[in-house]
């Protein structure tokens, strides 16, 4: 998956929708909401069919943040290593939230720094691993979601 190319495409769509009018913390809140939606799709014994779409939303929102701030997301992902403390899907979501908390805290600094990029990369690396472990073709889901977004437009939504 060429995440930087996906990021550029999604960033262009977000710009056309007029949604680059948010702070970095607002953008991170939207990533967190997507993490919550993905977790909600795993509350039963097996992830629902919408699980992959929600993981794609996490990738797209993150890729847009990377584009806005000039971050080479692919390079950041390639340079990060993660270890899983819990192999369950619910445990994986807890670990994503731990990394998300570091990402949010890094965004509160005067300038975005290496910790911001590292935390971003860790969140996406975990999402990619979770998709693979669950048999989700994340690239296909991301491309499908881009197509849906481009067809539906803003649907009257702010940000």
């Amino acid at each position: 998956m060429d995440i930087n190319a996906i990021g550029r495409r999604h960033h262009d769509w977000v710009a056309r929708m007029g949604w680059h009018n948010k702070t970095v913390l607002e953008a991170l809140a939207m990533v967190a909401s997507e993490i919550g939606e993905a977790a909600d799709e795993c509350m039963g014994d097996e992830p629902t069919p919408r699980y992959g779409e929600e993981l794609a939303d996490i990738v797209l929102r993150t890729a847009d943040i990377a584009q806005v701030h000039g971050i080479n997301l692919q390079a950041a992902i390639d340079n990060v290593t993660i270890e899983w403390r819990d192999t369950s899907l619910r445990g994986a979501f807890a670990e994503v939230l731990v990394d998300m908390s570091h990402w949010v805290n890094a965004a509160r600094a005067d300038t975005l720094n290496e910790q911001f990029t590292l935390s971003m990369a860790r969140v996406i690396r975990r999402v990619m691993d979770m998709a693979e472990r669950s048999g989700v073709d994340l690239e296909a889901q991301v491309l499908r979601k881009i197509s849906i977004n481009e067809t539906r437009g803003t649907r009257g939504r702010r940000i």
Side-chain angles (χ1 to χ4, degrees):
M1 174 166 49
D2 185 344
I3 199 155
N4 289 335
I6 285 168
R8 286 187 297 274
R9 184 174 171 190
H10 184 66
H11 178 270
D12 290 346
W13 175 77
V14 173
R16 287 193 310 273
M17 297 302 105
W19 288 344
H20 281 136
N21 58 342
K22 54 193 170 294
T23 68
V24 67
L25 288 173
E26 287 171 324
L28 290 177
M30 295 178 83
V31 172
S33 76
E34 299 297 352
I35 292 169
E37 289 174 13
D40 191 40
E41 297 302 326
C42 298
M43 295 306 283
D45 292 333
E46 296 290 325
T48 71
R50 290 195 44 142
Y51 176 61
E53 181 178 334
E54 298 302 340
L55 293 179
D57 286 340
I58 297 166
V59 170
L60 289 171
R61 290 204 184 271
T62 302
D64 183 57
I65 293 168
Q67 288 294 308
V68 167
H69 297 286
I71 296 168
N72 181 335
L73 185 54
Q74 188 62 61
I77 292 167
D78 290 345
N79 289 321
V80 73
T81 57
I82 57 168
E83 293 181 19
W84 292 99
R85 292 179 280 175
D86 189 324
T87 58
S88 74
L89 195 52
R90 289 185 181 136
F93 274 106
E95 292 189 56
V96 168
L97 289 174
V98 168
D99 288 329
M100 187 73 206
S101 72
H102 296 297
W103 192 11
V104 169
N105 284 332
R108 296 174 62 223
D110 290 336
T111 59
L112 301 183
N113 57 29
E114 289 180 29
Q115 184 62 42
F116 182 87
T117 301
L118 174 65
S119 298
M120 172 189 284
R122 290 179 64 82
V123 167
I124 291 302
R125 177 80 261 163
R126 288 192 190 281
V127 167
M128 294 168 94
D129 284 2
M130 291 166 65
E132 185 176 328
R133 287 193 300 185
S134 300
V136 170
D137 182 341
L138 189 56
E139 181 175 14
Q141 289 290 329
V142 166
L143 294 174
R144 180 180 164 277
K145 189 62 187 221
I146 286 173
S147 178
I148 289 169
N149 288 346
E150 289 175 346
T151 301
R152 290 193 303 198
T154 68
R155 293 181 288 157
R157 292 183 177 175
R158 292 179 26 210
I159 302 183

